[in-house]
Amino acid sequence: HILKRHHQRGDMGKPCFKLVFPLSIEFPDGTTAEAADHKALHQLIRNWRKDNPGAEERPALVFPIKVTLEDGTEQTVNSKEDLQALKESCKS
């Protein structure tokens, strides 16, 4: 399952946070869509990939987003770089 492998590879192990839904994604053509949950998010991306097999650009999260940390607190993440930093902190 391509999406699952990509998701796991990006997390590098057990994530220490969960995305708070709904959230929006932006497609390379500038359109956006809202995902109510993980399943809807994966379906939106899967459909886009099916319709755009040769595309080099990828759909992206629309920031800011909220995440729930392991201790139950919510945190706002303002950029892709901040999200990557949070993922890196999960490894420690």
Side-chain angles (χ1 to χ4, degrees):
H1 196 191
I2 293 170
L3 291 174
K4 192 166 198 140
R5 271 184 286 163
H6 175 73
H7 182 69
Q8 288 173 343
R9 186 175 64 237
D11 286 340
M12 301 299 236
K14 184 182 176 204
C16 61
F17 62 90
K18 293 181 181 177
L19 297 174
V20 175
F21 287 89
L23 56 77
S24 295
I25 59 171
E26 182 176 9
F27 299 100
D29 67 2
T31 60
T32 60
E34 187 174 281
D37 54 30
H38 271 286
K39 185 176 179 180
L41 177 63
H42 287 294
Q43 190 63 49
L44 285 167
I45 293 170
R46 188 177 304 121
N47 289 345
W48 181 85
R49 284 184 177 162
K50 188 178 97 180
D51 294 341
N52 300 277
E56 302 232 347
E57 294 182 61
R58 302 255 185 242
L61 293 173
V62 176
F63 289 93
I65 63 170
K66 289 192 183 282
V67 297
T68 303
L69 303 177
E70 284 179 310
D71 64 6
T73 59
E74 265 192 15
Q75 178 177 329
T76 298
V77 179
N78 292 307
S79 68
K80 186 168 102 173
E81 293 76 20
D82 289 349
L83 184 61
Q84 186 60 41
L86 183 58
K87 285 181 181 181
E88 290 293 324
S89 75
C90 290
K91 296 178 196 176
S92 336

